[in-house]
Amino acid sequence: MTVKIKDVARRAGVSVTSVSRVLNGEKYVSEDILNRVNQAIEELNYSPSYIARSLKKQKTNTIGVIVPDLTSNFYSTILSSIEETASKYGYNLIVCNIAENLSKELKYLHIFQEMRVEGIIIMHEKTNEEIVNFIRNATMPILFSSVQSPDADFISVLIDDYQAAYDATEYLIRSGHTAISYLGGDLEDVTSGQNRYNGFRDALSKHHITIPEEYVKFGDYKLPSGHRLMGELLALAQPPTVVFAASDDMAVGALNCVLDQGFRVPEDVSIMGFDGSTITDIVRPSITSMQQPIYEMGQVSLENLHRLIIRDKHRPQADIMLQHQLVERESCKTMHPSNSR
Amino acid sequence: MTVKIKDVARRAGVSVTSVSRVLNGEKYVSEDILNRVNQAIEELNYSPSYIARSLKKQKTNTIGVIVPDLTSNFYSTILSSIEETASKYGYNLIVCNIAENLSKELKYLHIFQEMRVEGIIIMHEKTNEEIVNFIRNATMPILFSSVQSPDADFISVLIDDYQAAYDATEYLIRSGHTAISYLGGDLEDVTSGQNRYNGFRDALSKHHITIPEEYVKFGDYKLPSGHRLMGELLALAQPPTVVFAASDDMAVGALNCVLDQGFRVPEDVSIMGFDGSTITDIVRPSITSMQQPIYEMGQVSLENLHRLIIRDKHRPQADIMLQHQLVERESCKTMHPSNSR
DNA sequence: ATGAAAGCGCTAACAT
DNA sequence: ATGTTAGCGCTTTCAT
């Protein structure tokens, strides 16, 4: 049916080996054969089979990626960065968007295994026993990106979420805020749930600040939950002076809620985000946020997965921590007496 | 090295054929063999090779997707929808983000070909001779999503961009605007460049409205270009009363420019977007936009690519037009005397 | 109902 | 420098 290496060989009047050699750019091919083969390839419009080659070489140059939510700017930016780096290293990407569906994740992990991908990047933290089990028994390297791995044996590329949340909270305190609210993610998530929340709590304790328990609420990282939760906060007799959200999307939800009710940010309420997605710079007022090095995260993830794959001597032995950085924009005001109106 | 079908057969004490039958859920296998094989698979933690199977069956269940910009909400939403539908049909997705890089696109088209993907979805319109040439000679179905194909022989799934822009412009005119500005995309792009611009122009002509040529400016669909172009508009002695942007991102850029200069939307300037990405509902004021059925577009694209692949008798013979719809939000005010302040 | 063996398209010894 | 051939791991006739 389709034209194969044998056809090219016949057309060029050489052996399949010679064609293979030309295909793989090996030496020991005369100029004459090189030309004849290339011409035959051209004439027959021959395209070598990646599949046959993969089978023979036991190598696929393929990496599987599991994304929690493709439509999220945070994840799609990491994915974009992974893709760009993968392309440079000659890897192709199989992408699975799991959309909160753990059984889909498990299914795709098995498909990745059957496809003999050379490595897997997972950007999802929620997990279950079957998945952990799969990961433990997997034959190929698996790397977690932007989240903590469920098992100390696996490498994660991420920031120190605890410290980042701690630093962000301290910034708020230093700005004179004491009525600080926290809009958290899911406490089942270690990275973005527990670590960030603990960082927040500990910064408060360190500075001997106590807040009413209604100031702490948990959502799902997405915009609508930030909007809803902010509504509850504004309905309080004593609303907080600042809201620290565990994701930028929740921060934007909170911002819109404040705006929609006719209040101003940061004059009436300050808002701090987390992640540093592009959205922080798009909305008005722009949102002060604890910035993750999103683009770098994708690149570093792929580079280290590659090291794991080739068993490089510099391959990572432990989690790789990237730097967080607070980026001040317009949504947080300082409460210091000297700076206040 | 890895455990293969032969090992399973030996362990279960049956032939490889029987193992293969169990693997593929064929009938004509006794309960006894079924159990023994399944047990052997379990014990050996056997994972069948997708590659060997693909080679033998000459079928990969894989689809290649070319995305112009993964970080764009518009494209990532379509991709997400394609992924979801693909998963239902049992296809795996190889994703390439070309980021304006035509040589990368060509390279990946060849890789897709070598990988023997069963179909390709392209969401990118800019093209060159080599790419068109590849597409013409391709052995697998290629479908264009959200953009016009460069060749009438190929199927596109998209809206009627001309009519949509025409309708949007007419809406503005009916709202009493006559000083209408257009922030276009790249005129090299048929779909989002030429068609939208022509729809705009023709609606104006139809209603005998002429605008100064400085009211028409072209950017690159992205936010910063909208911001920059809006700055030029505001510097005019007679700025327009409404700006129609060829993409939501440009509309947001324009919005921010107006806001950043201390003016109000829609009181001072109205803004109309195009695409209906989620961003239109996120910013404040929210943006009135010509909505594309983004999610549906991904689904319909994949379904029809599937029909093309299986040579279904209902497979599409011509472009598939989806409905556009103007969604009114907060960024456009009506200028009718009766409704004005 | 089960098995033996050919072959999918390629690469890599090995031989010359 | 070039060619012959075995075999990657599976499916699928074809026998039995």
Side-chain angles (χ1 to χ4, degrees):
Chain A
M1 179 123 115
T2 75
V3 23
K4 39 204 173 192
I5 200 170
K6 208 172 168 182
D7 304 318
V8 176
R10 194 176 303 137
R11 176 79 158 227
V14 300
S15 72
V16 291
T17 313
S18 290
V19 179
S20 175
R21 286 193 179 110
V22 171
L23 251 28
N24 294 284
E26 287 170 34
K27 44 192 179 180
Y28 301 134
V29 274
S30 65
E31 189 115 344
D32 176 42
I33 287 202
L34 182 75
N35 294 144
R36 273 152 64 202
V37 168
N38 278 329
Q39 192 184 339
I41 288 175
E42 182 87 358
E43 288 169 1
L44 298 173
N45 195 22
Y46 168 70
S47 169
S49 163
Y50 214 101
I51 302 166
R53 172 184 286 157
S54 293
L55 179 61
K56 177 65 200 182
K57 294 186 109 159
Q58 299 290 75
K59 189 154 179 17
T60 58
N61 293 315
T62 298
I63 283 174
V65 183
I66 290 193
V67 189
D69 179 11
L70 270 175
T71 66
S72 130
N73 182 267
F74 179 73
Y75 293 117
S76 63
T77 304
I78 300 185
L79 179 62
S80 165
S81 167
I82 289 175
E83 199 275 352
E84 184 180 333
T85 316
S87 178
K88 283 181 188 148
Y89 281 88
Y91 291 113
N92 301 123
L93 251 42
I94 314 265
V95 173
C96 167
N97 183 43
I98 58 164
E100 308 286 316
N101 185 339
L102 282 186
S103 68
K104 188 173 174 191
E105 175 166 351
L106 187 62
K107 175 185 152 197
Y108 268 85
L109 286 174
H110 279 113
I111 290 178
F112 287 168
Q113 165 84 47
E114 296 185 356
M115 293 181 103
R116 305 294 190 253
V117 301
E118 299 187 16
I120 296 177
I121 292 182
I122 298 179
M123 299 194 232
H124 191 238
E125 194 164 56
K126 285 199 191 57
T127 194
N128 60 28
E129 206 182 327
E130 280 174 299
I131 291 178
V132 171
N133 213 35
F134 175 93
I135 294 171
R136 288 230 177 78
N137 295 319
T139 55
M140 76 288 279
I142 296 181
L143 182 146
F144 289 80
S145 186
S146 83
V147 296
Q148 187 68 57
S149 70
D151 194 310
D153 296 344
F154 293 94
I155 306 296
S156 286
V157 172
L158 76 180
I159 62 166
D160 183 341
D161 284 88
Y162 171 87
Q163 192 61 46
Y166 188 100
D167 292 349
T169 308
E170 234 180 13
Y171 168 88
L172 263 17
I173 296 170
R174 277 203 313 275
S175 300
H177 290 277
T178 52
I180 305 176
S181 168
Y182 183 75
L183 262 34
D186 191 332
L187 281 186
E188 274 189 22
D189 299 337
V190 176
T191 314
S192 45
Q194 296 167 24
N195 291 350
R196 290 180 197 173
Y197 179 57
N198 291 336
F200 169 74
R201 286 250 71 118
D202 288 357
L204 250 38
S205 306
K206 168 78 181 311
H207 292 269
H208 310 294
I209 292 175
T210 53
I211 53 169
E213 65 180 64
E214 313 91 74
Y215 277 15
V216 176
K217 297 181 180 296
F218 294 93
D220 63 0
Y221 309 107
K222 297 187 183 166
L223 196 142
S225 76
H227 198 288
R228 178 172 49 77
L229 265 19
M230 189 73 214
E232 297 175 17
L233 252 22
L234 290 177
L236 257 29
Q238 283 279 324
T241 60
V242 62
V243 174
F244 177 22
S247 79
D248 287 331
D249 284 346
M250 282 176 79
V252 172
L255 169 66
N256 284 348
C257 180
V258 175
L259 262 26
D260 291 348
Q261 295 201 16
F263 297 109
R264 293 157 307 162
V265 173
E267 291 81 355
D268 300 313
V269 198
S270 291
I271 290 176
M272 156 91 66
F274 198 112
D275 284 344
S277 314
T278 56
I279 188 72
T280 55
D281 228 4
I282 291 177
V283 294
R284 292 293 182 270
S286 59
I287 295 181
T288 294
S289 180
M290 180 48 76
Q291 172 90 38
Q292 301 202 47
I294 308 183
Y295 188 85
E296 183 189 357
M297 205 171 262
Q299 185 182 336
V300 171
S301 295
L302 195 112
E303 283 168 357
N304 282 285
L305 181 62
H306 174 67
R307 293 202 180 98
L308 253 15
I309 290 170
I310 64 171
R311 308 187 67 76
D312 188 275
K313 61 183 172 201
H314 296 306
R315 88 189 95 120
Q317 310 284 342
D319 287 353
I320 296 174
M321 288 289 181
L322 268 23
Q323 291 304 308
H324 57 270
Q325 183 191 2
L326 197 139
V327 177
E328 296 184 82
R329 295 196 183 83
E330 304 166 342
S331 65
C332 284
K333 82 162 171 180
T334 159
M335 305 279 280
H336 281 308
S338 57
N339 295 323
S340 65
R341 291 163 290 162
Chain B
M1 181 123 110
T2 76
V3 24
K4 37 203 172 191
I5 200 169
K6 207 172 169 182
D7 304 316
V8 176
R10 194 177 303 137
R11 177 79 160 225
V14 299
S15 72
V16 292
T17 314
S18 290
V19 178
S20 174
R21 286 193 178 109
V22 171
L23 252 29
N24 294 285
E26 288 171 33
K27 43 190 178 183
Y28 301 134
V29 273
S30 66
E31 188 113 344
D32 176 42
I33 286 201
L34 183 74
N35 294 143
R36 274 152 62 201
V37 168
N38 277 330
Q39 193 184 338
I41 288 175
E42 183 87 359
E43 288 168 1
L44 298 173
N45 194 22
Y46 169 70
S47 168
S49 163
Y50 214 100
I51 301 165
R53 172 183 286 159
S54 292
L55 180 60
K56 180 64 203 186
K57 294 185 112 161
Q58 299 289 76
K59 189 157 177 14
T60 58
N61 294 315
T62 298
I63 284 174
V65 184
I66 290 194
V67 189
D69 178 10
L70 270 174
T71 66
S72 131
N73 181 268
F74 179 73
Y75 292 117
S76 63
T77 303
I78 300 186
L79 180 62
S80 166
S81 167
I82 289 176
E83 199 274 352
E84 184 181 333
T85 316
S87 180
K88 285 182 187 147
Y89 281 87
Y91 290 113
N92 300 123
L93 250 43
I94 314 267
V95 174
C96 167
N97 183 43
I98 56 162
E100 308 286 316
N101 185 338
L102 282 185
S103 68
K104 188 172 174 192
E105 175 166 350
L106 187 61
K107 175 185 152 197
Y108 268 85
L109 287 173
H110 279 111
I111 291 179
F112 288 168
Q113 165 85 45
E114 296 184 358
M115 295 182 102
R116 305 295 191 252
V117 302
E118 300 188 16
I120 296 177
I121 292 181
I122 299 179
M123 301 194 233
H124 191 238
E125 194 165 58
K126 285 198 190 59
T127 193
N128 60 29
E129 205 182 327
E130 280 174 302
I131 291 178
V132 171
N133 214 35
F134 175 92
I135 294 171
R136 288 232 177 78
N137 295 320
T139 55
M140 77 287 279
I142 296 181
L143 183 146
F144 288 79
S145 187
S146 84
V147 296
Q148 187 67 58
S149 71
D151 194 311
D153 296 343
F154 293 94
I155 306 296
S156 286
V157 172
L158 77 178
I159 62 167
D160 182 340
D161 283 88
Y162 172 87
Q163 192 62 45
Y166 188 100
D167 292 350
T169 308
E170 233 179 14
Y171 167 88
L172 263 17
I173 296 171
R174 278 202 313 274
S175 300
H177 291 278
T178 51
I180 305 176
S181 168
Y182 182 76
L183 261 33
D186 191 330
L187 282 186
E188 273 189 22
D189 300 335
V190 176
T191 314
S192 44
Q194 297 168 24
N195 291 350
R196 291 181 196 171
Y197 179 58
N198 291 337
F200 168 75
R201 287 248 72 118
D202 288 357
L204 250 39
S205 306
K206 168 81 180 310
H207 292 269
H208 310 294
I209 292 176
T210 52
I211 53 170
E213 66 179 64
E214 314 91 74
Y215 277 15
V216 176
K217 297 182 179 295
F218 294 93
D220 63 1
Y221 308 108
K222 297 187 183 165
L223 197 142
S225 75
H227 198 290
R228 178 171 50 78
L229 265 19
M230 188 74 212
E232 298 176 15
L233 253 22
L234 290 177
L236 257 29
Q238 283 279 323
T241 61
V242 62
V243 174
F244 177 22
S247 79
D248 286 331
D249 285 345
M250 282 176 78
V252 172
L255 169 66
N256 284 348
C257 179
V258 175
L259 262 26
D260 291 347
Q261 296 203 16
F263 298 108
R264 294 156 306 162
V265 173
E267 292 81 354
D268 299 315
V269 196
S270 292
I271 291 176
M272 157 88 68
F274 198 110
D275 283 345
S277 313
T278 56
I279 189 72
T280 55
D281 228 5
I282 291 177
V283 295
R284 292 292 181 274
S286 59
I287 295 181
T288 294
S289 181
M290 180 47 76
Q291 172 90 38
Q292 301 203 47
I294 308 184
Y295 188 85
E296 183 190 356
M297 205 172 260
Q299 185 182 338
V300 170
S301 295
L302 195 113
E303 283 168 358
N304 282 286
L305 181 61
H306 175 67
R307 293 201 181 99
L308 254 14
I309 290 171
I310 63 171
R311 308 187 67 77
D312 188 275
K313 62 183 171 203
H314 297 304
R315 90 188 93 119
Q317 310 285 343
D319 288 352
I320 296 175
M321 288 288 182
L322 267 25
Q323 290 305 306
H324 58 270
Q325 183 190 2
L326 197 139
V327 177
E328 296 184 82
R329 296 196 183 83
E330 304 166 344
S331 65
C332 284
K333 83 163 173 181
T334 157
M335 303 280 280
H336 279 309
S338 55
N339 294 323
S340 65
R341 289 162 294 164

